[in-house]
Amino acid sequence: ELVAGYIHPALQRIQAQLEAGVKVESVIDVGKHIPQTPELTVIVPLYKRIDFVEHQLAHFARDPEMAEADILYVLDSPEIADNLLDSVRALSVLHGVSLRVAVMARNAGFSGANNAGVSLARGRRIVLLNSDVIPDGPGWLGKMSAFYDATPGIGALGPKLLYEDDSLQHAGMYFHRDNGG
C-alpha cells in the first residue's frame, strides 16, 4: 500500500518534473547523406569528452552499414557546442560520415540525453552507444540486428564489451521473471 499509494505517485511527479526540464536546443545535420528513413538510429550521448567522436567516426567510416544508419550525437554539455560542431564538420568531410548533432539546452544527465536522442530517432530500432565504445569491426550493426530478429521475446540487446586489453568489461544482462511465486 505504501509503495502503490505514496511512493510510486511521488516518484511519478519527480520524474515528470525532470522530463519537463529536458529540452533540445537545436539539431544540426552534418554531412551530405543524412538517411531520412533508416532502419537504425545510433544515439551517442556526449558530455565534455568530445574527443571520443574522432575515434568513433574513424571506425564508422570503415563500416558500410553505418552509412545507412542515422547517427545522432546528443551533446549534454551545451557550453562546448561550437567546439563540437567545428570538430564534427571537419571529421565528416575527412571521413565521409554523415551525422546529426542534438544540442541540449542544459545538462540533462545521461538518461536525459538518451531520452532526448530517442525522441529524435528516425530509425525503427535504436542503438544506445556510449561515446567511449569503439566497435571491433564492420558489420556489427547487422550482426546485432540479425540476432535481435532471431531471438523471440527479446526486449533489449546488449553486446559484449571488452577493454583495450581484451579483458571483459561486461557481457550484457539477462532478466528472467520467476512466475512461480
Side-chain angles (χ1 to χ4, degrees), residues 1-59:
E1 285 182 40
L2 176 65
V3 170
Y6 298 96
I7 295 174
H8 191 258
L11 290 174
Q12 283 182 314
R13 286 192 302 276
I14 291 168
Q15 183 65 33
Q17 289 174 349
L18 289 172
E19 289 173 3
V22 174
K23 302 247 186 303
V24 174
E25 184 75 27
S26 58
V27 180
I28 299 97
D29 289 356
V30 179
K32 296 180 181 179
H33 305 290
I34 306 288
Q36 298 302 307
T37 56
E39 177 68 17
L40 293 160
T41 294
V42 178
I43 298 169
V44 184
L46 294 171
Y47 180 74
K48 304 282 186 197
R49 294 292 308 269
I50 62 174
D51 56 310
F52 289 139
V53 175
E54 182 175 355
H55 303 288
Q56 279 187 330
L57 291 181
H59 281 79

Short mmCIF file of all heavy atoms in Angstrom, two decimals, residues 1-59:
data_model
loop_
_atom_site.label_atom_id
_atom_site.label_comp_id
_atom_site.label_asym_id
_atom_site.label_seq_id
_atom_site.Cartn_x
_atom_site.Cartn_y
_atom_site.Cartn_z
N GLU A 1 0.82 -1.21 0.00
CA GLU A 1 0.00 0.00 0.00
C GLU A 1 0.86 1.26 0.00
O GLU A 1 0.54 2.22 -0.69
CB GLU A 1 -0.92 0.02 1.22
CG GLU A 1 -2.07 -0.93 1.11
CD GLU A 1 -2.98 -0.83 2.34
OE1 GLU A 1 -3.22 0.29 2.84
OE2 GLU A 1 -3.44 -1.89 2.79
N LEU A 2 1.93 1.23 0.81
CA LEU A 2 2.82 2.38 0.87
C LEU A 2 3.43 2.68 -0.49
O LEU A 2 3.43 3.83 -0.94
CB LEU A 2 3.93 2.14 1.91
CG LEU A 2 4.99 3.23 2.03
CD1 LEU A 2 4.37 4.52 2.55
CD2 LEU A 2 6.12 2.77 2.93
N VAL A 3 3.93 1.65 -1.16
CA VAL A 3 4.55 1.84 -2.48
C VAL A 3 3.52 2.32 -3.49
O VAL A 3 3.73 3.31 -4.20
CB VAL A 3 5.24 0.54 -2.95
CG1 VAL A 3 5.68 0.66 -4.40
CG2 VAL A 3 6.42 0.20 -2.07
N ALA A 4 2.39 1.63 -3.57
CA ALA A 4 1.37 1.96 -4.57
C ALA A 4 0.70 3.30 -4.30
O ALA A 4 0.42 4.06 -5.23
CB ALA A 4 0.31 0.86 -4.63
N GLY A 5 0.44 3.60 -3.04
CA GLY A 5 -0.32 4.79 -2.71
C GLY A 5 0.49 6.06 -2.55
O GLY A 5 -0.03 7.17 -2.75
N TYR A 6 1.76 5.94 -2.19
CA TYR A 6 2.54 7.14 -1.88
C TYR A 6 3.86 7.24 -2.65
O TYR A 6 4.16 8.26 -3.26
CB TYR A 6 2.83 7.21 -0.37
CG TYR A 6 1.57 7.32 0.44
CD1 TYR A 6 0.97 6.20 1.00
CD2 TYR A 6 0.96 8.55 0.62
CE1 TYR A 6 -0.20 6.31 1.72
CE2 TYR A 6 -0.21 8.67 1.35
CZ TYR A 6 -0.79 7.54 1.90
OH TYR A 6 -1.95 7.65 2.61
N ILE A 7 4.66 6.18 -2.57
CA ILE A 7 5.99 6.26 -3.18
C ILE A 7 5.90 6.34 -4.69
O ILE A 7 6.54 7.20 -5.31
CB ILE A 7 6.86 5.06 -2.72
CG1 ILE A 7 7.09 5.17 -1.21
CG2 ILE A 7 8.17 5.01 -3.48
CD1 ILE A 7 7.80 3.98 -0.60
N HIS A 8 5.13 5.46 -5.30
CA HIS A 8 5.02 5.47 -6.76
C HIS A 8 4.47 6.80 -7.28
O HIS A 8 5.06 7.38 -8.21
CB HIS A 8 4.18 4.28 -7.23
CG HIS A 8 4.24 4.08 -8.71
ND1 HIS A 8 3.24 4.48 -9.54
CD2 HIS A 8 5.22 3.55 -9.50
CE1 HIS A 8 3.56 4.19 -10.77
NE2 HIS A 8 4.75 3.63 -10.79
N PRO A 9 3.39 7.34 -6.74
CA PRO A 9 2.91 8.65 -7.22
C PRO A 9 3.95 9.76 -7.02
O PRO A 9 4.09 10.64 -7.88
CB PRO A 9 1.65 8.91 -6.39
CG PRO A 9 1.18 7.56 -6.00
CD PRO A 9 2.43 6.73 -5.81
N ALA A 10 4.66 9.74 -5.91
CA ALA A 10 5.69 10.76 -5.67
C ALA A 10 6.80 10.66 -6.70
O ALA A 10 7.27 11.67 -7.24
CB ALA A 10 6.25 10.62 -4.26
N LEU A 11 7.24 9.44 -6.99
CA LEU A 11 8.28 9.25 -8.00
C LEU A 11 7.81 9.67 -9.38
O LEU A 11 8.58 10.22 -10.17
CB LEU A 11 8.76 7.80 -8.00
CG LEU A 11 9.57 7.35 -6.79
CD1 LEU A 11 9.85 5.85 -6.85
CD2 LEU A 11 10.85 8.15 -6.66
N GLN A 12 6.54 9.42 -9.70
CA GLN A 12 6.00 9.86 -10.99
C GLN A 12 6.04 11.38 -11.11
O GLN A 12 6.36 11.92 -12.17
CB GLN A 12 4.57 9.35 -11.17
CG GLN A 12 4.50 7.90 -11.53
CD GLN A 12 3.07 7.44 -11.75
OE1 GLN A 12 2.18 7.75 -10.96
NE2 GLN A 12 2.86 6.70 -12.82
N ARG A 13 5.70 12.09 -10.04
CA ARG A 13 5.74 13.55 -10.08
C ARG A 13 7.16 14.07 -10.24
O ARG A 13 7.42 14.99 -11.01
CB ARG A 13 5.09 14.14 -8.81
CG ARG A 13 3.57 14.03 -8.80
CD ARG A 13 2.94 14.86 -7.68
NE ARG A 13 3.41 14.50 -6.35
CZ ARG A 13 2.92 13.50 -5.61
NH1 ARG A 13 1.94 12.76 -6.08
NH2 ARG A 13 3.40 13.25 -4.41
N ILE A 14 8.09 13.46 -9.54
CA ILE A 14 9.51 13.86 -9.66
C ILE A 14 10.00 13.60 -11.08
O ILE A 14 10.66 14.45 -11.69
CB ILE A 14 10.37 13.13 -8.62
CG1 ILE A 14 10.04 13.62 -7.21
CG2 ILE A 14 11.86 13.30 -8.92
CD1 ILE A 14 10.64 12.77 -6.10
N GLN A 15 9.68 12.44 -11.62
CA GLN A 15 10.11 12.11 -12.99
C GLN A 15 9.51 13.08 -14.00
O GLN A 15 10.19 13.51 -14.93
CB GLN A 15 9.72 10.66 -13.33
CG GLN A 15 10.19 10.21 -14.69
CD GLN A 15 11.69 10.14 -14.81
OE1 GLN A 15 12.38 9.85 -13.86
NE2 GLN A 15 12.21 10.43 -15.99
N ALA A 16 8.25 13.42 -13.84
CA ALA A 16 7.61 14.38 -14.74
C ALA A 16 8.31 15.74 -14.69
O ALA A 16 8.50 16.39 -15.72
CB ALA A 16 6.13 14.51 -14.41
N GLN A 17 8.69 16.18 -13.50
CA GLN A 17 9.41 17.46 -13.36
C GLN A 17 10.77 17.39 -14.05
O GLN A 17 11.18 18.34 -14.73
CB GLN A 17 9.59 17.83 -11.89
CG GLN A 17 8.31 18.24 -11.21
CD GLN A 17 8.51 18.45 -9.71
OE1 GLN A 17 9.54 18.10 -9.15
NE2 GLN A 17 7.49 19.00 -9.06
N LEU A 18 11.47 16.29 -13.89
CA LEU A 18 12.77 16.12 -14.54
C LEU A 18 12.62 16.13 -16.06
O LEU A 18 13.39 16.79 -16.76
CB LEU A 18 13.44 14.83 -14.09
CG LEU A 18 13.95 14.78 -12.66
CD1 LEU A 18 14.40 13.37 -12.31
CD2 LEU A 18 15.07 15.78 -12.46
N GLU A 19 11.64 15.41 -16.57
CA GLU A 19 11.43 15.34 -18.01
C GLU A 19 11.02 16.69 -18.59
O GLU A 19 11.38 17.02 -19.71
CB GLU A 19 10.40 14.27 -18.35
CG GLU A 19 10.92 12.86 -18.13
CD GLU A 19 9.86 11.79 -18.31
OE1 GLU A 19 8.70 12.13 -18.66
OE2 GLU A 19 10.19 10.61 -18.09
N ALA A 20 10.27 17.47 -17.82
CA ALA A 20 9.84 18.79 -18.30
C ALA A 20 11.03 19.72 -18.49
O ALA A 20 10.99 20.62 -19.33
CB ALA A 20 8.84 19.40 -17.33
N GLY A 21 12.11 19.51 -17.75
CA GLY A 21 13.29 20.35 -17.86
C GLY A 21 14.26 19.93 -18.96
O GLY A 21 15.23 20.62 -19.22
N VAL A 22 14.00 18.79 -19.60
CA VAL A 22 14.89 18.29 -20.65
C VAL A 22 14.43 18.85 -21.99
O VAL A 22 13.35 18.52 -22.47
CB VAL A 22 14.89 16.74 -20.68
CG1 VAL A 22 15.69 16.22 -21.84
CG2 VAL A 22 15.41 16.20 -19.37
N LYS A 23 15.27 19.71 -22.56
CA LYS A 23 14.92 20.34 -23.84
C LYS A 23 16.11 20.26 -24.79
O LYS A 23 17.25 20.45 -24.39
CB LYS A 23 14.56 21.80 -23.62
CG LYS A 23 13.42 22.03 -22.64
CD LYS A 23 12.22 22.58 -23.34
CE LYS A 23 11.10 22.97 -22.42
NZ LYS A 23 10.57 21.98 -21.55
N VAL A 24 15.82 20.02 -26.04
CA VAL A 24 16.83 20.06 -27.09
C VAL A 24 16.83 21.47 -27.67
O VAL A 24 15.79 21.95 -28.13
CB VAL A 24 16.54 19.01 -28.18
CG1 VAL A 24 17.51 19.15 -29.33
CG2 VAL A 24 16.58 17.61 -27.59
N GLU A 25 17.98 22.11 -27.62
CA GLU A 25 18.12 23.48 -28.14
C GLU A 25 18.10 23.49 -29.66
O GLU A 25 17.45 24.31 -30.29
CB GLU A 25 19.43 24.08 -27.63
CG GLU A 25 19.66 25.52 -28.01
CD GLU A 25 18.81 26.48 -27.21
OE1 GLU A 25 18.44 26.15 -26.07
OE2 GLU A 25 18.51 27.55 -27.73
N SER A 26 18.85 22.56 -30.28
CA SER A 26 18.93 22.53 -31.74
C SER A 26 19.39 21.16 -32.21
O SER A 26 19.99 20.41 -31.45
CB SER A 26 19.90 23.61 -32.25
OG SER A 26 21.19 23.40 -31.70
N VAL A 27 19.07 20.86 -33.46
CA VAL A 27 19.54 19.64 -34.11
C VAL A 27 20.17 20.07 -35.43
O VAL A 27 19.52 20.73 -36.24
CB VAL A 27 18.41 18.63 -34.37
CG1 VAL A 27 18.94 17.37 -35.06
CG2 VAL A 27 17.70 18.27 -33.07
N ILE A 28 21.44 19.70 -35.62
CA ILE A 28 22.20 20.14 -36.79
C ILE A 28 22.59 18.92 -37.61
O ILE A 28 23.17 17.96 -37.10
CB ILE A 28 23.47 20.92 -36.35
CG1 ILE A 28 23.09 22.15 -35.55
CG2 ILE A 28 24.31 21.32 -37.57
CD1 ILE A 28 23.16 21.98 -34.08
N ASP A 29 22.26 18.95 -38.91
CA ASP A 29 22.70 17.91 -39.83
C ASP A 29 24.11 18.23 -40.28
O ASP A 29 24.41 19.38 -40.66
CB ASP A 29 21.79 17.86 -41.06
CG ASP A 29 20.41 17.31 -40.76
OD1 ASP A 29 20.16 16.90 -39.62
OD2 ASP A 29 19.57 17.30 -41.69
N VAL A 30 24.98 17.22 -40.28
CA VAL A 30 26.36 17.40 -40.69
C VAL A 30 26.68 16.31 -41.72
O VAL A 30 26.56 15.12 -41.42
CB VAL A 30 27.34 17.29 -39.50
CG1 VAL A 30 28.78 17.44 -39.96
CG2 VAL A 30 26.99 18.31 -38.42
N GLY A 31 27.05 16.71 -42.92
CA GLY A 31 27.37 15.75 -43.97
C GLY A 31 26.37 15.81 -45.10
O GLY A 31 25.35 16.51 -45.03
N LYS A 32 26.67 15.07 -46.15
CA LYS A 32 25.89 15.14 -47.38
C LYS A 32 24.76 14.13 -47.47
O LYS A 32 23.84 14.30 -48.25
CB LYS A 32 26.81 14.94 -48.59
CG LYS A 32 27.84 16.03 -48.73
CD LYS A 32 28.72 15.78 -49.93
CE LYS A 32 29.77 16.87 -50.05
NZ LYS A 32 30.65 16.65 -51.19
N HIS A 33 24.83 13.04 -46.72
CA HIS A 33 23.88 11.95 -46.91
C HIS A 33 23.25 11.51 -45.59
O HIS A 33 23.51 10.42 -45.10
CB HIS A 33 24.57 10.76 -47.59
CG HIS A 33 25.23 11.12 -48.88
ND1 HIS A 33 24.51 11.44 -50.00
CD2 HIS A 33 26.53 11.26 -49.20
CE1 HIS A 33 25.35 11.74 -50.98
NE2 HIS A 33 26.59 11.64 -50.52
N ILE A 34 22.41 12.35 -45.03
CA ILE A 34 21.69 12.01 -43.80
C ILE A 34 20.51 11.12 -44.17
O ILE A 34 19.62 11.55 -44.91
CB ILE A 34 21.17 13.29 -43.07
CG1 ILE A 34 22.29 14.29 -42.82
CG2 ILE A 34 20.43 12.91 -41.81
CD1 ILE A 34 23.27 13.91 -41.76
N PRO A 35 20.48 9.87 -43.70
CA PRO A 35 19.35 8.99 -44.04
C PRO A 35 18.04 9.53 -43.43
O PRO A 35 18.01 9.89 -42.26
CB PRO A 35 19.72 7.65 -43.42
CG PRO A 35 21.11 7.76 -42.94
CD PRO A 35 21.47 9.20 -42.87
N GLN A 36 17.01 9.57 -44.24
CA GLN A 36 15.72 10.07 -43.77
C GLN A 36 14.84 8.98 -43.17
O GLN A 36 14.05 9.25 -42.27
CB GLN A 36 14.98 10.77 -44.91
CG GLN A 36 15.72 11.99 -45.44
CD GLN A 36 15.99 13.03 -44.36
OE1 GLN A 36 15.08 13.46 -43.66
NE2 GLN A 36 17.25 13.42 -44.22
N THR A 37 14.95 7.75 -43.68
CA THR A 37 14.14 6.64 -43.17
C THR A 37 15.03 5.42 -42.93
O THR A 37 14.87 4.39 -43.57
CB THR A 37 13.00 6.29 -44.15
OG1 THR A 37 13.58 6.02 -45.44
CG2 THR A 37 11.99 7.41 -44.26
N PRO A 38 15.94 5.53 -41.98
CA PRO A 38 16.87 4.42 -41.72
C PRO A 38 16.21 3.32 -40.90
O PRO A 38 15.19 3.54 -40.25
CB PRO A 38 17.98 5.09 -40.91
CG PRO A 38 17.25 6.16 -40.16
CD PRO A 38 16.19 6.67 -41.11
N GLU A 39 16.81 2.15 -40.94
CA GLU A 39 16.38 1.05 -40.09
C GLU A 39 16.80 1.30 -38.64
O GLU A 39 16.07 1.00 -37.72
CB GLU A 39 17.00 -0.27 -40.60
CG GLU A 39 16.69 -1.47 -39.76
CD GLU A 39 15.23 -1.91 -39.82
OE1 GLU A 39 14.50 -1.49 -40.73
OE2 GLU A 39 14.82 -2.66 -38.92
N LEU A 40 18.00 1.88 -38.47
CA LEU A 40 18.58 2.05 -37.15
C LEU A 40 19.00 3.49 -36.88
O LEU A 40 19.54 4.15 -37.77
CB LEU A 40 19.83 1.18 -37.00
CG LEU A 40 19.63 -0.32 -36.99
CD1 LEU A 40 20.92 -1.04 -37.32
CD2 LEU A 40 19.12 -0.77 -35.64
N THR A 41 18.79 3.93 -35.66
CA THR A 41 19.37 5.18 -35.18
C THR A 41 20.37 4.81 -34.09
O THR A 41 20.03 4.09 -33.15
CB THR A 41 18.30 6.13 -34.60
OG1 THR A 41 17.43 6.55 -35.65
CG2 THR A 41 18.94 7.36 -33.97
N VAL A 42 21.60 5.30 -34.24
CA VAL A 42 22.64 5.10 -33.24
C VAL A 42 22.75 6.39 -32.44
O VAL A 42 23.11 7.44 -32.99
CB VAL A 42 24.00 4.75 -33.90
CG1 VAL A 42 25.08 4.59 -32.84
CG2 VAL A 42 23.87 3.48 -34.74
N ILE A 43 22.40 6.33 -31.16
CA ILE A 43 22.40 7.50 -30.29
C ILE A 43 23.63 7.45 -29.39
O ILE A 43 23.85 6.46 -28.69
CB ILE A 43 21.12 7.55 -29.44
CG1 ILE A 43 19.89 7.66 -30.35
CG2 ILE A 43 21.18 8.70 -28.43
CD1 ILE A 43 18.58 7.45 -29.64
N VAL A 44 24.42 8.54 -29.43
CA VAL A 44 25.64 8.61 -28.63
C VAL A 44 25.58 9.88 -27.78
O VAL A 44 25.72 10.99 -28.31
CB VAL A 44 26.90 8.65 -29.52
CG1 VAL A 44 28.16 8.63 -28.66
CG2 VAL A 44 26.91 7.50 -30.52
N PRO A 45 25.34 9.76 -26.47
CA PRO A 45 25.37 10.94 -25.62
C PRO A 45 26.81 11.39 -25.38
O PRO A 45 27.71 10.56 -25.23
CB PRO A 45 24.71 10.48 -24.32
CG PRO A 45 24.79 9.00 -24.34
CD PRO A 45 24.97 8.56 -25.75
N LEU A 46 27.01 12.69 -25.39
CA LEU A 46 28.34 13.27 -25.16
C LEU A 46 28.29 14.23 -23.99
O LEU A 46 27.41 15.09 -23.93
CB LEU A 46 28.80 14.06 -26.39
CG LEU A 46 29.06 13.29 -27.67
CD1 LEU A 46 29.29 14.26 -28.82
CD2 LEU A 46 30.25 12.38 -27.50
N TYR A 47 29.24 14.09 -23.11
CA TYR A 47 29.38 15.03 -22.01
C TYR A 47 30.87 15.35 -21.87
O TYR A 47 31.65 14.47 -21.49
CB TYR A 47 28.81 14.47 -20.71
CG TYR A 47 28.94 15.43 -19.56
CD1 TYR A 47 28.11 16.55 -19.49
CD2 TYR A 47 29.89 15.25 -18.57
CE1 TYR A 47 28.24 17.46 -18.45
CE2 TYR A 47 30.02 16.14 -17.53
CZ TYR A 47 29.19 17.25 -17.47
OH TYR A 47 29.33 18.15 -16.44
N LYS A 48 31.21 16.57 -22.21
CA LYS A 48 32.59 17.09 -22.12
C LYS A 48 33.57 16.43 -23.08
O LYS A 48 34.23 17.11 -23.82
CB LYS A 48 33.13 16.98 -20.69
CG LYS A 48 32.29 17.66 -19.64
CD LYS A 48 32.47 19.14 -19.61
CE LYS A 48 31.71 19.74 -18.43
NZ LYS A 48 31.52 21.14 -18.56
N ARG A 49 33.69 15.12 -23.10
CA ARG A 49 34.74 14.42 -23.84
C ARG A 49 34.38 14.27 -25.32
O ARG A 49 34.12 13.18 -25.81
CB ARG A 49 34.98 13.04 -23.23
CG ARG A 49 35.55 13.03 -21.84
CD ARG A 49 36.97 13.53 -21.76
NE ARG A 49 37.89 12.89 -22.70
CZ ARG A 49 38.60 11.81 -22.44
NH1 ARG A 49 38.51 11.22 -21.28
NH2 ARG A 49 39.42 11.30 -23.35
N ILE A 50 34.44 15.37 -26.05
CA ILE A 50 34.10 15.32 -27.47
C ILE A 50 35.22 14.71 -28.30
O ILE A 50 35.03 14.39 -29.47
CB ILE A 50 33.69 16.70 -28.00
CG1 ILE A 50 34.82 17.71 -27.87
CG2 ILE A 50 32.42 17.17 -27.31
CD1 ILE A 50 34.52 19.06 -28.51
N ASP A 51 36.40 14.49 -27.69
CA ASP A 51 37.50 13.85 -28.42
C ASP A 51 37.16 12.41 -28.81
O ASP A 51 37.71 11.88 -29.78
CB ASP A 51 38.79 13.90 -27.60
CG ASP A 51 38.65 13.27 -26.22
OD1 ASP A 51 37.68 13.63 -25.51
OD2 ASP A 51 39.50 12.45 -25.86
N PHE A 52 36.25 11.77 -28.08
CA PHE A 52 35.86 10.40 -28.43
C PHE A 52 35.21 10.33 -29.81
O PHE A 52 35.28 9.30 -30.48
CB PHE A 52 34.88 9.83 -27.39
CG PHE A 52 35.49 9.54 -26.06
CD1 PHE A 52 34.80 9.85 -24.90
CD2 PHE A 52 36.72 8.92 -25.94
CE1 PHE A 52 35.33 9.55 -23.65
CE2 PHE A 52 37.27 8.62 -24.70
CZ PHE A 52 36.57 8.94 -23.55
N VAL A 53 34.56 11.40 -30.24
CA VAL A 53 33.87 11.42 -31.53
C VAL A 53 34.86 11.14 -32.66
O VAL A 53 34.54 10.42 -33.61
CB VAL A 53 33.15 12.77 -31.75
CG1 VAL A 53 32.54 12.83 -33.13
CG2 VAL A 53 32.10 12.99 -30.68
N GLU A 54 36.06 11.69 -32.56
CA GLU A 54 37.06 11.49 -33.61
C GLU A 54 37.36 10.00 -33.80
O GLU A 54 37.43 9.51 -34.93
CB GLU A 54 38.33 12.24 -33.25
CG GLU A 54 39.41 12.13 -34.31
CD GLU A 54 40.62 12.99 -34.00
OE1 GLU A 54 40.61 13.75 -33.02
OE2 GLU A 54 41.59 12.88 -34.77
N HIS A 55 37.51 9.27 -32.72
CA HIS A 55 37.83 7.85 -32.79
C HIS A 55 36.64 7.05 -33.34
O HIS A 55 36.83 6.16 -34.19
CB HIS A 55 38.24 7.31 -31.42
CG HIS A 55 39.40 8.05 -30.84
ND1 HIS A 55 40.67 7.92 -31.33
CD2 HIS A 55 39.47 8.96 -29.84
CE1 HIS A 55 41.49 8.70 -30.65
NE2 HIS A 55 40.78 9.34 -29.74
N GLN A 56 35.44 7.38 -32.88
CA GLN A 56 34.27 6.65 -33.36
C GLN A 56 34.06 6.89 -34.86
O GLN A 56 33.84 5.94 -35.61
CB GLN A 56 33.01 7.07 -32.60
CG GLN A 56 32.86 6.38 -31.28
CD GLN A 56 31.53 6.68 -30.62
OE1 GLN A 56 30.94 7.74 -30.80
NE2 GLN A 56 31.06 5.75 -29.82
N LEU A 57 34.13 8.13 -35.30
CA LEU A 57 33.87 8.41 -36.71
C LEU A 57 34.90 7.76 -37.62
O LEU A 57 34.57 7.33 -38.73
CB LEU A 57 33.79 9.91 -36.96
CG LEU A 57 32.55 10.60 -36.35
CD1 LEU A 57 32.56 12.09 -36.69
CD2 LEU A 57 31.26 9.96 -36.82
N ALA A 58 36.15 7.68 -37.17
CA ALA A 58 37.18 6.99 -37.96
C ALA A 58 36.79 5.52 -38.16
O ALA A 58 36.98 4.96 -39.24
CB ALA A 58 38.54 7.11 -37.29
N HIS A 59 36.24 4.89 -37.12
CA HIS A 59 35.80 3.50 -37.23
C HIS A 59 34.50 3.38 -38.03
O HIS A 59 34.34 2.47 -38.83
CB HIS A 59 35.64 2.87 -35.85
CG HIS A 59 36.93 2.46 -35.26
ND1 HIS A 59 37.80 3.35 -34.66
CD2 HIS A 59 37.55 1.25 -35.18
CE1 HIS A 59 38.88 2.72 -34.24
NE2 HIS A 59 38.74 1.44 -34.54
#
